[in-house]
Amino acid sequence: MSFLLGKMFLKGARMHGLTRMCIDRARRKYVTQEKPISRFPVPKMDTLPEDIQARMKEVEEKGGFLPNVFKVLAHRPDEFRAFFLYYDALMVRESNITKAEKEMIVVATSVANNCMYCVVAHGALLRIFSKNPVIGDQVATNWRCADLTERERAILEFAMRVCRSETVQDEHLANLEKHGLSSEDAWDIGAIAGLFALSNRMAHLTNMRPNDEFYLMGRVKYEKKE
């Protein structure tokens, strides 16, 4: 996951004309002060177990920056490993749910859970995977009014039911089937909503701050020079 995540960040930045210099320039213009990224101690990388150091360095090298979630969760190394192992199983593994749809689930459910970190970070990933610079904001504002396909609406309706801990009945899975989504797909949708319910709450607990780089990713269309 670390390689893929870093590669994707870099690809997204290049795709949309957001070089490191461009991001740094915007960051200096709009960010007036540094704020703590967590209310809990954030360990220095060289004090962490080697496997965690390696993962963090790979992400930073490939993407140009290290998402704050890595830094914050490293406060508890065993939980860091467990979280990202489950993340890999759901978000990186190929399935019938596309990468854009997965990020859409994260954004919509994170809005319901008032999680700024996940809305900002995964809104950026949604823009990149969908190749649509406005969809992240639409889903974050009101997914029911967003420009979605019927399949995407069915996915989010099911995800929100899980997000709200409402009873899931056979009829809800049957509605997914109308859009070519199996019971295994329903598991994926529900598991993503469940994992990020945990992530949202940990972000609240730690007062996790999104990286400034996320705000610009996927917003500017890159036009090749002739």
Side-chain angles (χ1 to χ4, degrees):
M1 173 269 182
S2 56
F3 173 80
L4 178 62
L5 188 60
K7 183 177 180 181
M8 179 273 300
F9 283 149
L10 185 59
K11 179 181 179 182
R14 287 174 175 170
M15 180 189 304
H16 299 280
L18 298 178
T19 63
R20 182 67 185 181
M21 183 180 297
C22 174
I23 291 174
D24 286 343
R25 187 181 301 119
R27 186 176 186 277
R28 288 193 299 271
K29 181 177 180 181
Y30 295 109
V31 180
T32 58
Q33 61 181 352
E34 294 289 346
K35 295 183 179 179
I37 64 170
S38 175
R39 59 166 50 96
F40 290 85
V42 177
K44 294 182 178 179
M45 189 180 295
D46 60 9
T47 67
L48 293 168
E50 291 185 3
D51 63 312
I52 293 179
Q53 286 191 50
R55 185 166 197 153
M56 293 169 75
K57 288 177 181 177
E58 187 175 22
V59 170
E60 187 169 19
E61 288 172 1
K62 297 295 182 181
F65 71 101
L66 182 63
N68 288 339
V69 64
F70 288 86
K71 303 174 186 178
V72 174
L73 295 187
H75 177 63
R76 295 275 189 94
D78 286 344
E79 293 172 39
F80 176 105
R81 295 186 184 98
F83 178 85
F84 284 109
L85 184 62
Y86 198 17
Y87 181 102
D88 291 353
L90 291 175
M91 303 299 286
V92 179
R93 179 180 61 83
E94 293 294 331
S95 72
N96 189 37
I97 309 299
T98 69
K99 288 182 172 63
E101 289 168 343
K102 290 177 181 180
E103 298 301 339
M104 200 172 287
I105 293 167
V106 178
V107 175
T109 58
S110 295
V111 169
N113 290 327
N114 301 310
C115 180
M116 182 173 71
Y117 184 92
C118 289
V119 172
V120 171
H122 291 273
L125 303 187
L126 173 54
R127 291 191 295 271
I128 291 169
F129 282 131
S130 66
K131 298 180 174 62
N132 183 339
V134 303
I135 193 64
D137 292 332
Q138 289 184 347
V139 174
T141 303
N142 184 346
W143 67 267
R144 292 187 180 279
C145 296
D147 298 323
L148 304 179
T149 65
E150 290 304 310
R151 170 189 161 105
E152 290 167 343
R153 291 187 187 282
I155 288 173
L156 292 189
E157 285 175 359
F158 188 81
M160 293 304 297
R161 175 167 290 276
V162 176
C163 172
R164 295 188 295 261
S165 295
E166 295 178 354
T167 302
V168 175
Q169 299 178 331
D170 290 345
E171 64 187 75
H172 301 123
L173 274 70
N175 186 57
L176 290 177
E177 291 178 0
K178 295 177 184 177
H179 301 279
L181 297 158
S182 68
S183 59
E184 291 300 313
D185 297 327
W187 182 298
D188 284 341
I189 296 166
I192 291 169
L195 173 63
F196 280 90
L198 165 65
S199 181
N200 298 156
R201 285 155 178 78
M202 291 305 298
H204 287 311
L205 171 65
T206 60
N207 197 28
M208 195 184 302
R209 179 181 172 82
N211 301 66
D212 297 313
E213 289 88 342
F214 283 125
Y215 290 94
L216 293 180
M217 291 174 63
R219 293 191 183 280
V220 181
K221 184 176 181 180
Y222 177 69
E223 295 184 1
K224 293 182 179 180
K225 294 182 179 180
E226 296 297 333

